[in-house]
């Protein structure tokens, strides 16, 4: 009887529980409980507890994603131990939080994929309203919270936005991720009159992207809009013209920003070169910092010691096999998501990866794992929907 009562209560409170968990994971790292503990750790523990309590069928997409993150975690830890003792126990435990968080989150999200997508829509609205309001306030007043990376900043940096504890790049990336999810959800699940919510979300972010000089956020927003309008156009010649104009615009953007793009391209190339030195297995936790610091070649890295790409970071830390497995997993998620059509949700995993070229390091940008899980959740929803229509 007790088990039945718990199961009934969990089903009844699924939406509010998941809303609280998601908001806690997105904001919790800003609230320190002790010097080494934040509220986010509490919400990770709650997520794990809910994953153990909820009863749900184990889908193939969950097994594929969970299996990847288990391999990623175990492999990277083993490689770290193989290359020496430069990583502390604290750093190792911090890294192992990643597979635990992703697997537990997916387990709970996949209890009801369709409901979870709706819950996350409102979570993103709450997050966007809070963080965008703070961004506008920071820009116009020059005021920052003590936990902000821009606290006590001077000059033009004083009028950038960073939220409470993000640096401007991390803040911009997560802000536009939330806006793009709101945009995709409104287009797919709402009537045409409510599509304005999605457009408003993107428009609200654009000034902040400009103030923070976040070219990646601006570019990805443009690509999202182009993809959406391309799906509405049926004439092939118009689509071809749009593709050509987009490629020309990207080419111009690359040329005009070559001084910024060039060192990053060097680092992306160095990520593949590092496979030779690591025998293809990676250098373990913080491998990008260790390798680029030891390289100490200003002509190659321009003094940058971070991967500036989640994909490059995987090459540095975990090697070629894990990198290829991640590519296969992403392709699988996109394929399953495409079973409902060619809407924006299909390319969201690609836009997500493009956005992760902006932060210096994405490994511990915790909220981005939450967005990854929601894209997996959509793929599961699309698969369920496709199975219902074919039977």
């Amino acid at each position: 009887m007790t088990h039945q009562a718990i199961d009934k209560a969990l089903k009844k409170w699924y939406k509010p529980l998941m809303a609280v968990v998601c908001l806690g994971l997105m904001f919790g790292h800003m609230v320190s409980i002790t010097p080494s503990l934040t509220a986010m750790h509490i919400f990770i523990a709650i997520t794990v507890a809910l994953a153990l309590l909820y009863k749900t069928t184990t889908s193939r997409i969950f097994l594929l994603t969970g299996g990847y993150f288990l391999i990623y975690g175990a492999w990277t830890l083993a490689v770290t131990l193989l290359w020496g003792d430069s990583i502390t126990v604290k750093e190792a435990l911090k890294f192992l939080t990643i597979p635990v968080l992703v697997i537990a989150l997916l387990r709970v999200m996949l209890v009801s994929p369709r409901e979870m997508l709706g819950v996350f829509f409102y979570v993103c609205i709450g997050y966007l309203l809070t963080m965008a309001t703070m961004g506008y306030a920071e820009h116009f007043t020059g005021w920052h919270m003590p936990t902000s990376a821009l606290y006590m900043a001077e000059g033009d940096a004083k009028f950038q936005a960073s939220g409470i504890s993000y640096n401007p790049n991390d803040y911009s990336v997560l802000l536009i991720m939330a806006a793009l999810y709101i945009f995709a959800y409104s287009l797919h699940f709402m009537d045409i009159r409510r599509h304005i919510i999605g457009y408003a979300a993107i428009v609200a972010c654009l000034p902040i992207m400009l103030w923070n000089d976040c070219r990646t956020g601006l570019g990805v927003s443009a690509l999202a809009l182009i993809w959406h309008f391309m799906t509405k156009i049926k004439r092939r010649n118009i689509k071809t013209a749009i593709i050509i104009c987009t490629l020309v615009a990207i080419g111009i953007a690359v040329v005009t920003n070559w001084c910024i793009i060039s060192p990053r391209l060097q680092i992306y190339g160095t990520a593949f070169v590092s496979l030779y030195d690591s025998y293809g297995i990676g250098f373990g936790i913080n491998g990008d910092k260790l390798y680029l610091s030891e390289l100490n070649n200003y002509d190659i890295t321009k003094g940058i010691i971070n991967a500036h790409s989640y994909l490059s970071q995987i090459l540095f830390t975990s090697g070629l096999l894990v990198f290829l497995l991640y590519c296969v997993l992403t392709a699988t998620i996109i394929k399953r998501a495409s079973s409902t059509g060619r809407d924006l949700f299909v390319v969201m995993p690609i836009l997500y990866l493009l956005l992760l070229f902006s932060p210096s390091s994405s490994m511990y940008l915790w909220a981005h794992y939450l967005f990854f899980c929601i894209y997996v959740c959509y793929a599961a929803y699309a698969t369920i929907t496709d199975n219902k229509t074919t039977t």
Side-chain angles (χ1 to χ4, degrees):
M1 291 293 291
T2 305
H3 293 295
Q4 290 178 345
I6 292 173
D7 190 50
K8 185 177 180 181
L10 288 173
K11 288 179 179 178
K12 181 180 179 180
W13 294 98
Y14 180 76
K15 288 183 178 180
L17 276 174
M18 290 310 299
V20 169
V21 165
C22 290
L23 286 170
L25 291 172
M26 294 181 82
F27 288 103
H29 70 282
M30 304 174 187
V31 182
S32 294
I33 298 173
T34 67
S36 59
L37 185 71
T38 64
M40 189 196 70
H41 293 91
I42 304 299
F43 283 99
I44 290 174
I46 293 171
T47 306
V48 173
L50 290 175
L52 295 172
L53 287 171
Y54 270 108
K55 296 178 181 178
T56 182
T57 56
T58 304
S59 63
R60 186 175 295 178
I61 193 73
F62 171 77
L63 293 175
L64 288 171
T65 308
Y68 165 77
F69 276 93
L70 283 176
I71 293 170
Y72 170 56
W75 179 281
T76 308
L77 183 62
V79 168
T80 303
L81 297 174
L82 177 66
W83 285 110
D85 57 354
S86 58
I87 303 299
T88 65
V89 173
K90 183 180 177 180
E91 287 177 310
L93 291 174
K94 185 180 179 181
F95 173 78
L96 290 177
T97 302
I98 296 170
V100 171
L101 173 62
V102 171
I103 292 169
L105 257 179
L106 279 179
R107 182 71 179 173
V108 184
M109 284 183 173
L110 296 179
V111 168
S112 180
R114 175 63 188 92
E115 282 188 310
M116 187 60 232
L117 294 170
V119 168
F120 198 66
F121 171 73
Y122 291 103
V123 167
C124 284
I125 286 180
Y127 180 82
L128 184 69
L129 287 173
T130 303
M131 300 307 285
T133 300
M134 181 168 288
Y136 279 96
E138 287 176 313
H139 175 72
F140 288 111
T141 66
W143 171 86
H144 300 278
M145 290 285 286
T147 50
S148 169
L150 297 177
Y151 183 64
M152 300 297 287
E154 298 179 356
D156 292 339
K158 183 179 181 180
F159 301 101
Q160 287 186 312
S162 65
I164 295 176
S165 62
Y166 298 126
N167 65 48
N169 273 346
D170 295 352
Y171 166 83
S172 301
V173 163
L174 294 180
L175 196 69
I176 205 68
M177 276 189 188
L180 287 176
Y181 182 80
I182 294 168
F183 184 50
Y185 186 92
S186 67
L187 293 176
H188 188 82
F189 292 106
M190 295 182 164
D191 61 66
I192 195 167
R193 292 174 298 177
R194 296 186 181 181
H195 291 180
I196 189 66
I197 297 172
Y199 290 107
I202 292 180
V203 170
C205 294
L206 294 183
I208 295 174
M209 298 299 111
L210 290 168
W211 298 332
N212 284 0
D213 199 23
C214 184
R215 296 173 178 85
T216 308
L218 291 169
V220 170
S221 300
L223 289 175
L225 291 167
I226 289 168
W227 177 270
H228 167 58
F229 290 123
M230 288 276 285
T231 59
K232 300 298 181 184
I233 298 170
K234 295 182 179 179
R235 292 184 180 182
R236 184 176 296 180
N237 58 339
I238 298 177
K239 287 187 177 183
T240 303
I242 291 173
I243 292 171
I244 292 171
C245 290
T246 302
L247 292 174
V248 170
I250 291 172
I252 293 170
V254 169
V255 172
T256 54
N257 295 289
W258 185 248
C259 61
I260 297 173
I261 294 172
S262 177
R264 294 197 181 193
L265 290 177
Q266 295 281 5
I267 289 174
Y268 305 148
T270 303
F272 286 95
V273 172
S274 74
L275 294 173
Y276 176 81
D277 293 325
S278 71
Y279 306 101
I281 64 174
F283 288 104
I285 302 166
N286 293 335
D288 54 332
K289 290 182 181 179
L290 295 172
Y291 187 79
L292 292 172
S293 296
E294 291 177 3
L295 194 62
N296 194 25
N297 191 330
Y298 183 81
D299 293 332
I300 294 178
T301 66
K302 308 298 182 186
I304 300 173
I305 58 168
N306 296 103
H308 275 281
S309 163
Y310 188 60
L311 289 173
S312 295
Q313 204 156 13
I314 292 174
L315 285 170
F316 280 118
T317 62
S318 311
L320 184 61
L321 177 62
V322 175
F323 173 83
L324 293 175
L325 287 175
Y326 186 83
C327 293
V328 171
L329 176 62
T330 303
T332 303
I333 292 168
I334 292 170
K335 182 180 179 182
R336 290 176 180 270
S338 65
S339 60
T340 59
R342 299 293 179 184
D343 58 75
L344 189 58
F345 265 114
V346 176
V347 294
M348 287 292 273
I350 296 174
L351 299 178
Y352 157 86
L353 284 173
L354 290 175
L355 282 171
L356 292 181
F357 276 81
S358 185
S360 58
S361 174
S362 305
M363 185 176 289
Y364 300 126
L365 186 60
W366 295 107
H368 95 77
Y369 297 109
L370 186 59
F371 283 94
F372 178 83
C373 287
I374 208 71
Y375 303 145
V376 177
C377 188
Y378 180 82
Y381 157 79
T383 303
I384 294 168
T385 305
D386 186 50
N387 289 339
K388 286 181 179 179
T389 56
T390 54
T391 55

